[in-house]
Amino acid sequence: MSQRELKEAFVSNLNGTSLQEVALGSFLTPLCLINRGLVLILYHLAKGTLPLPLMSHLLLDFSVLILPLVLSCTVLSSVLHQVILSLTFVSACVLCYVYRINSHPPARHPQNTISAFLQSHVQVNQVPFVTVFRVFVNVKTAISILAVDFSVFPRRYAKTETYGTGVMDFGVGAYVFANALVCPEARRKNISGSKMNHITKQLLAVWPLVVLGMVRLVSVKMTGYQEHVTEYGVHWNFFFTLAIVRVVASMLLAVVPASKSWVLAFLISGFYQFTLETSGLKTFIIHNNDREKDFLHANKEGIFSVVGYVAIYMAGVQVGLYVMQPRSQVRQWLKALSNLLLGSCVLYTALWTCQTLVEPVSRCLANLPFCLWSVAQSLFFMSCLGIADMVLLFSKKTSGCHVVPTSWNLCKKQSDSVSDKKAGEIERLCLVQAVSRNQLLFFLLANIMTGLTNSLVDTLRCSSLISVCVLLSYMFINCFVIYVLHLCGITVKFW
């Protein structure tokens, strides 16, 4: 077999992992965020001067936020639960230490301290955990698209062939969900002009995705780069899926109010599953391998899975509408996070029922169970990030350190220009904010670097140590480029 065929076989015919292992991974990023915040708080309590020197923030963020994610999906994947328990123990110990040495407690009694915290008000112009959710879906995608080509990356994490739940399967659903969270409809932006003008504007707005899809298609065909055709098809790729989903969703939301998008999500996914079960569509997608007949046969997975992704997008719009509602009290946000967690539990129950009575999750089909799983797991991950935000907010309140980036800020009775300036500077030096500023560029850069790395490195024969070093170098280059652009105030958005 040629090198290309070996690499294609390496990522083919896989069955994924359990729902529990994918859910377990949701705890890692929130713990990393808490630990990054606690490091800054401890530095502040030790009379350290914040912000740190320019590159120190990048190195800190990369070491605490990116490094654990790379290690957890490579050399530490077999002991993931132990890693999470260890990080939880460290975080709990530091939190107790911060609480005990606090010199400015709001009240002496712990019950009064918690009561005062629940009644605190946060700045209403930000929802930090939404930003963090979108950024880390992007970051984990960037890690996975290269890591999957190395033998150190567990095969159970890779995309499944037909049925199953791989970590990368969740990644594609979460990416669509993340885009929907902040779409204009979810942010309640007023649509100027007629609905037809709005649809036309959305058609024009997705041209970068179409161009990127065409560039990827041409480059793959011309270079002979390995491709897993049963993933999307011979000519299709994820850029085309993103573009079509956005346009179709805009058309639907021009007719149906965004507040009813959950109804559309339910109807689309339900009708699609009904069609799969009662027609020959499922057999056609999974078993018909006559890809030379026409464009439809060649790209059946990518074309028909768009229906499921539209349903996920519509669910994301509904969640975005809920999360973006103005809330000021900590108590109100805790209730919202509880509702997100409850929604995740309800959808997981529905998923279990569907998998028992209908069929398992299939990313290839983007069937009803896949839609339920993508939304349920996204809500669970987002809830964990929101809880981490609350832990950081409590730590900031008890320690008096208000300069932890990508977390809520308490409303102040009196403005402190020095403190506000420091907080703004640390936000400017934050890697999460840098990726958030240019998310599509980060995704594009990761795809380019993946292709370049594959052309230079024999990924199948690399040892575990070399594989991890290559992955860390690849991620550092991606992060460094985006970080420099952020420091220069450059937002690459030319559409």
Side-chain angles (χ1 to χ4, degrees), residues 227-247:
E227 52 182 332
H228 187 193
V229 293
T230 57
E231 186 177 339
Y232 294 107
V234 178
H235 313 103
W236 205 270
N237 58 59
F238 193 52
F239 289 111
F240 294 143
T241 296
L242 290 175
I244 292 179
V245 166
R246 182 70 191 100
V247 172

Side-chain angles (χ1 to χ4, degrees), residues 99-411:
Y99 181 79
R100 290 189 65 179
I101 69 168
N102 173 38
S103 57
H104 304 288
R108 292 292 177 185
H109 197 280
Q111 186 175 353
N112 294 334
T113 302
I114 295 174
S115 178
F117 172 69
L118 293 176
Q119 295 174 16
S120 300
H121 287 73
V122 297
Q123 292 182 1
V124 296
N125 60 342
Q126 58 173 345
V127 185
F129 66 87
V130 172
T131 298
V132 173
F133 173 81
R134 299 182 70 242
V135 165
F136 277 95
V137 166
N138 227 318
V139 167
K140 290 184 177 185
T141 301
I143 295 171
S144 299
I145 59 176
L146 177 60
V148 71
D149 295 321
F150 290 89
S151 57
V152 72
F153 186 83
R155 295 300 89 194
R156 66 184 186 277
Y157 285 4
K159 288 179 181 176
T160 55
E161 190 71 19
T162 50
Y163 292 100
T165 51
V167 174
M168 292 184 70
D169 291 323
F170 166 65
V172 290
Y175 201 97
V176 172
F177 185 88
N179 285 344
L181 282 176
V182 295
C183 72
E185 294 86 356
R187 288 180 290 163
R188 294 181 172 84
K189 280 195 171 183
N190 292 325
I191 300 175
S192 56
S194 66
K195 292 180 179 179
M196 187 56 65
N197 288 337
H198 173 67
I199 294 173
T200 304
K201 184 178 179 181
Q202 295 306 312
L203 279 169
L204 296 174
V206 299
W207 73 262
L209 293 172
V210 176
V211 170
L212 291 175
M214 293 299 298
V215 170
R216 176 178 171 79
L217 172 62
V218 172
S219 61
V220 166
K221 298 301 180 184
M222 290 184 63
T223 60
Y225 189 77
Q226 71 267 13
E227 52 182 332
H228 187 193
V229 293
T230 57
E231 186 177 339
Y232 294 107
V234 178
H235 313 103
W236 205 270
N237 58 59
F238 193 52
F239 289 111
F240 294 143
T241 296
L242 290 175
I244 292 179
V245 166
R246 182 70 191 100
V247 172
V248 172
S250 297
M251 291 179 178
L252 292 173
L253 291 170
V255 178
V256 179
S259 59
K260 302 297 182 183
S261 55
W262 69 272
V263 177
L264 281 176
F266 176 76
L267 291 176
I268 292 170
S269 57
F271 181 75
Y272 178 52
Q273 185 65 47
F274 178 78
T275 304
L276 288 172
E277 296 297 325
T278 57
S279 68
L281 181 59
K282 185 192 299 186
T283 302
F284 170 71
I285 296 174
I286 295 177
H287 299 295
N288 192 316
N289 295 317
D290 185 12
R291 295 188 180 273
E292 297 181 1
K293 187 173 183 180
D294 53 37
F295 184 81
L296 181 64
H297 281 73
N299 303 283
K300 50 195 171 64
E301 297 91 351
I303 292 171
F304 288 104
S305 65
V306 165
V307 180
Y309 289 119
V310 169
I312 294 171
Y313 191 96
M314 302 308 294
V317 172
Q318 187 70 57
V319 174
L321 278 172
Y322 177 72
V323 172
M324 298 296 180
Q325 288 179 13
R327 301 176 182 88
S328 59
Q329 272 194 329
V330 168
R331 190 188 302 274
Q332 293 173 328
W333 277 110
L334 283 173
K335 182 179 179 181
L337 291 173
S338 299
N339 289 336
L340 291 179
L341 201 55
L342 177 62
S344 176
C345 292
V346 170
L347 290 174
Y348 262 118
T349 303
L351 172 61
W352 178 82
T353 304
C354 275
Q355 292 210 115
T356 303
L357 301 178
V358 186
E359 65 175 345
V361 171
S362 171
R363 175 203 48 81
C364 171
L365 298 172
N367 57 359
L368 176 59
F370 176 75
C371 296
L372 290 171
W373 177 53
S374 297
V375 179
Q377 179 57 30
S378 294
L379 290 177
F380 182 69
F381 184 34
M382 198 157 55
S383 301
C384 292
L385 292 172
I387 292 168
D389 259 345
M390 283 296 171
V391 171
L392 285 176
L393 183 62
F394 182 76
S395 303
K396 290 163 73 171
K397 185 176 178 65
T398 54
S399 66
C401 177
H402 301 292
V403 288
V404 177
T406 58
S407 64
W408 266 302
N409 293 316
L410 291 167
C411 292

